[in-house]
Amino acid sequence: RIENLKAYDPFADTTGEDDAGPGDQGLVHIRIQQRNGRKTLTTVQGLSSEYDFKKIVKVAKKEFACNGTVVEHPEYGEVIQLQGDQRENICRLLVQCGLVKSEQLKVHGF
């Protein structure tokens, strides 16, 4: 039997007890998802809902020269998606703007 045909859920590892729910000032999870070929998608989940996600995406798109969007996730609320591997960049941006502290960031992937 082949076991590895199950779809990989990149959000599956957030069920730990150290994780606050979406929108809480707990951890901010930054993940990378593989698309087709060598294309990737960076997702930011867990930011406080008091921030304007569209403005964050606008700054990130200008700064990193990539496309991005805000996606409504059924379980995790609003999630920011950026094209490409922008994990280090978005960490730097969120800390520089004072949106999160560096110890609140949790980077996943590879």
Side-chain angles (χ1 to χ4, degrees):
R1 253 179 56 195
I2 300 173
E3 289 293 320
N4 63 352
L5 290 177
K6 298 180 188 77
Y8 169 68
D9 182 15
F11 295 103
D13 55 358
T14 62
T15 55
E17 60 280 340
D18 62 342
D19 181 34
D24 289 340
Q25 271 311 110
L27 291 176
V28 174
H29 296 276
I30 297 175
R31 291 188 181 71
I32 188 160
Q33 285 173 270
Q34 194 68 39
R35 280 178 52 222
N36 42 3
R38 49 187 294 236
K39 306 274 190 217
T40 54
L41 202 63
T42 305
T43 59
V44 182
Q45 174 245 319
L47 278 174
S48 175
S49 53
E50 64 199 32
Y51 298 130
D52 189 353
F53 289 101
K54 287 203 167 49
K55 285 186 179 172
I56 297 172
V57 168
K58 192 174 183 181
V59 170
K61 285 166 68 171
K62 275 268 199 246
E63 197 76 24
F64 315 144
C66 71
N67 201 5
T69 184
V70 179
V71 175
E72 185 61 47
H73 194 279
E75 193 178 339
Y76 303 109
E78 290 193 319
V79 176
I80 295 176
Q81 284 187 344
L82 297 171
Q83 285 183 357
D85 185 1
Q86 308 294 343
R87 287 174 298 180
E88 289 86 22
N89 295 337
I90 197 69
C91 286
R92 224 176 305 117
L93 178 83
L94 291 174
V95 172
Q96 275 177 359
C97 294
L99 298 179
V100 292
K101 298 182 199 75
S102 55
E103 56 267 12
Q104 288 177 303
L105 290 172
K106 191 156 169 54
V107 181
H108 305 271
F110 299 157

